[in-house]
Amino acid sequence: MNRLYIKTIFFAAALFMLFSPAAIYAEEVDNDTKPILLGMSAAFTGPSKGLGIELYRGSQAYFDQVNAKGGIRGHKIIIKYYDDGYDPLPAIRNTIKLIEKDNVLCLFNYVGTPTVTRILPVVKHFNADKPVYLFFPFTGAQPQREFPYEEYVFNLRASYRQETWGLVHNLFMIGRNRIAVLYQADAYGRSGWDGVRKALTEKDLNIVAEATYKRGAGFESSMKRQVEILAETKPDAIISIGAYEASAAFIRDARDAGLDVPICNLSFVGSDNMLHLLKNLEKTSNKKYTDNLINSQTVPSYEDTSLPAVRDYRKVMTESPPAPPEGFGKDYDPLKFSFISFEGYLTAKVMTKILDKMMLRQNYGSLYAATLSIRDLDIGLNTPVSFGRGKHQGLDEIYYTTVSSGKFVPVRNWARWSK
């Protein structure tokens, strides 16, 4: 093969890359100043509204900073949001609307297992025609981490299996082996229940009792029957897999019934929203409802100011805290700080880096290629974030918190709960 022929082939390949759709898209991305739309469907109303509102506020806090500096190469980042009330059917309708009508770049910050699991087939369906990805859903469930959907979803947070394994292991190490489970009767609850079951099976143990409640239960709901079912077996710890209003109601009724064993909650519960309800109850009842609570988290405590990300988050949430999404939250008092808004802040930080990398010509405007290029990204947690082929989860750390002086703080020593 002579040198002239090789040069001809190289020149033709260069022309193809220059005028290929991907390269043209990259050129448009550089020159066009249209905003970058991220599509979010979440609970902004109903008993779980604090989850969607706080996640939105945290992400918006970071994007506000980026946009104030001109956005990403001139492109402002906009969250196009719709309320689904933590209900799968509205979530499906919202997803179709975001993709077909709003033409969002990607889906972002969805909230909840029952909603996310139902929109996964929709995402897979649209991928037959064009790439559609879901970034950083607020759920640790398995379906988006397994075939056939894992290739369309990128997770930042650790899984419920990792959370439940850690809770079971730490309880086991302090002699608390009789573990009962309360769970929401849906895909979220079953995902957490399965994680507890698997973790106990590894230690040749079983769940000693289980009770369920219906999704959408509020703080005013009675959990007395659930408490009775679990108390009958004399558990020495309970793992609750629920949302904040229902979980707070269960804690209230358990303590009123004299069931004072440690009650553990997963990160999805919305620790700060739950604590707010229980603290208000303590003021009016003169009873203690916040003792012996242990919550797993997928982000560090926002009280740990040794971390750069925490300092940045606290600064912006103090100086210019975002309001709830327009049209929602009129009867909701935003929290100054929360684990959920901190997670939203972090998802926005990683998303911004991905979008910036997407603008680089070597990624040809490909969101997928840009995401896979994230390696050892420092987001201020002393734990780097990486993605890659077959690795669609950025973080694996689990943190444990308990209530002290009216707020959730890191657990320093599990021995205080030794049996």
Side-chain angles (χ1 to χ4, degrees):
M1 187 178 292
N2 62 45
R3 186 171 298 175
L4 178 60
Y5 182 67
I6 293 174
K7 286 182 176 180
T8 301
I9 291 176
F10 180 80
F11 181 68
L15 284 176
F16 173 78
M17 293 303 297
L18 180 61
F19 295 106
S20 70
I24 291 171
Y25 178 72
E27 189 70 30
E28 289 175 349
V29 165
D30 288 339
N31 295 331
D32 189 335
T33 57
K34 290 181 179 179
I36 299 171
L37 290 182
L38 308 180
M40 179 179 183
S41 178
F44 298 128
T45 59
S48 299
K49 63 189 173 189
L51 305 179
I53 290 175
E54 290 300 322
L55 194 66
Y56 167 87
R57 291 182 65 244
S59 289
Q60 194 61 52
Y62 191 83
F63 289 147
D64 282 346
Q65 295 179 96
V66 174
N67 291 340
K69 297 176 182 177
I72 301 179
R73 302 172 193 253
H75 304 269
K76 298 285 182 74
I77 307 172
I78 305 295
I79 300 177
K80 182 69 176 179
Y81 55 82
Y82 293 112
D83 173 48
D84 59 37
Y86 195 33
D87 188 328
L89 292 180
I92 292 172
R93 290 193 293 267
N94 292 345
T95 300
I96 294 170
K97 187 176 181 180
L98 286 165
I99 296 171
E100 290 189 336
K101 180 182 176 183
D102 299 315
N103 197 30
V104 297
L105 176 66
C106 66
L107 306 175
F108 175 73
N109 269 8
Y110 272 48
V111 172
T113 304
T115 48
V116 168
T117 53
R118 290 291 293 277
I119 66 101
L120 290 175
V122 177
V123 172
K124 185 175 185 293
H125 169 78
F126 276 104
N127 269 274
D129 298 319
K130 65 176 182 178
V132 176
Y133 298 102
L134 170 61
F135 279 84
F136 313 145
F138 186 66
T139 167
Q142 287 304 117
Q144 75 268 19
R145 290 172 165 82
E146 298 175 347
F147 181 83
Y149 304 118
E150 82 280 7
E151 64 180 299
Y152 311 118
V153 183
F154 288 93
N155 304 281
L156 183 60
R157 65 185 356 253
S159 70
Y160 291 146
R161 283 186 180 176
Q162 290 169 299
E163 287 192 63
T164 51
W165 187 92
L167 287 171
V168 168
H169 176 74
N170 281 291
L171 291 169
F172 177 82
M173 294 301 291
I174 58 173
R176 293 190 177 270
N177 303 329
R178 295 185 56 77
I179 297 175
V181 179
L182 171 78
Y183 64 95
Q184 189 167 280
D186 64 4
Y188 161 49
R190 292 296 290 182
S191 183
W193 171 89
D194 187 58
V196 174
R197 182 186 62 82
K198 281 182 165 61
L200 286 170
T201 299
E202 286 184 17
K203 302 180 184 304
D204 294 322
L205 297 172
N206 295 307
I207 296 172
V208 297
E210 57 187 74
T212 65
Y213 74 87
K214 187 177 180 181
R215 183 177 68 241
F219 186 51
E220 72 287 348
S221 301
S222 172
M223 293 285 176
K224 291 181 180 179
R225 181 54 187 151
Q226 287 86 345
V227 171
E228 290 172 356
I229 291 170
L230 300 187
E232 283 176 3
T233 61
K234 294 181 171 53
D236 50 35
I238 296 170
I239 296 179
S240 174
I241 303 142
Y244 64 91
E245 287 208 17
S247 296
F250 174 77
I251 292 167
R252 176 199 65 214
D253 291 349
R255 298 321 191 204
D256 284 346
L259 186 58
D260 294 325
V261 300
I263 297 178
C264 307
N265 296 272
L266 304 192
S267 60
F268 181 84
V269 72
S271 300
D272 302 283
N273 295 90
M274 183 185 79
L275 184 60
H276 180 70
L277 291 171
L278 293 174
K279 285 169 63 178
N280 285 342
L281 184 62
E282 286 182 341
K283 292 176 183 177
T284 59
S285 67
N286 294 318
K287 295 182 180 180
K288 288 296 292 182
Y289 293 102
T290 59
D291 290 344
N292 289 330
L293 300 182
I294 305 169
N295 284 18
S296 56
Q297 312 288 353
T298 55
V299 296
S301 170
Y302 53 78
E303 298 290 339
D304 185 359
T305 54
S306 69
L307 298 173
V310 169
R311 294 196 298 270
D312 294 344
Y313 160 78
R314 291 177 67 95
K315 185 174 188 293
V316 68
M317 295 302 282
T318 300
E319 295 178 357
S320 51
E326 188 175 356
F328 301 102
K330 292 181 181 179
D331 58 344
Y332 177 80
D333 185 18
L335 302 173
K336 184 175 182 180
F337 307 123
S338 72
F339 286 96
I340 297 178
S341 64
F342 184 39
E343 182 168 337
Y345 188 82
L346 296 175
T347 63
K349 190 171 189 177
V350 178
M351 195 75 233
T352 297
K353 186 64 175 180
I354 292 170
L355 294 172
D356 185 60
K357 282 181 169 287
M358 188 185 74
M359 303 294 185
L360 300 177
R361 193 164 297 283
Q362 64 260 34
N363 291 322
Y364 303 115
S366 168
L367 193 59
Y368 185 76
T371 307
L372 294 189
S373 73
I374 299 293
R375 294 283 194 280
D376 296 323
L377 175 65
D378 181 5
I379 61 172
L381 298 182
N382 293 338
T383 302
V385 173
S386 296
F387 295 105
R389 293 192 181 278
K391 187 184 187 309
H392 283 206
Q393 180 176 301
L395 296 171
D396 292 290
E397 294 292 324
I398 303 297
Y399 308 86
Y400 303 97
T401 58
T402 189
V403 179
S404 177
S405 300
K407 57 188 176 183
F408 273 101
V409 299
V411 171
R412 301 300 183 191
N413 188 355
W414 284 77
R416 61 179 287 191
W417 293 288
S418 291
K419 191 78 162 47

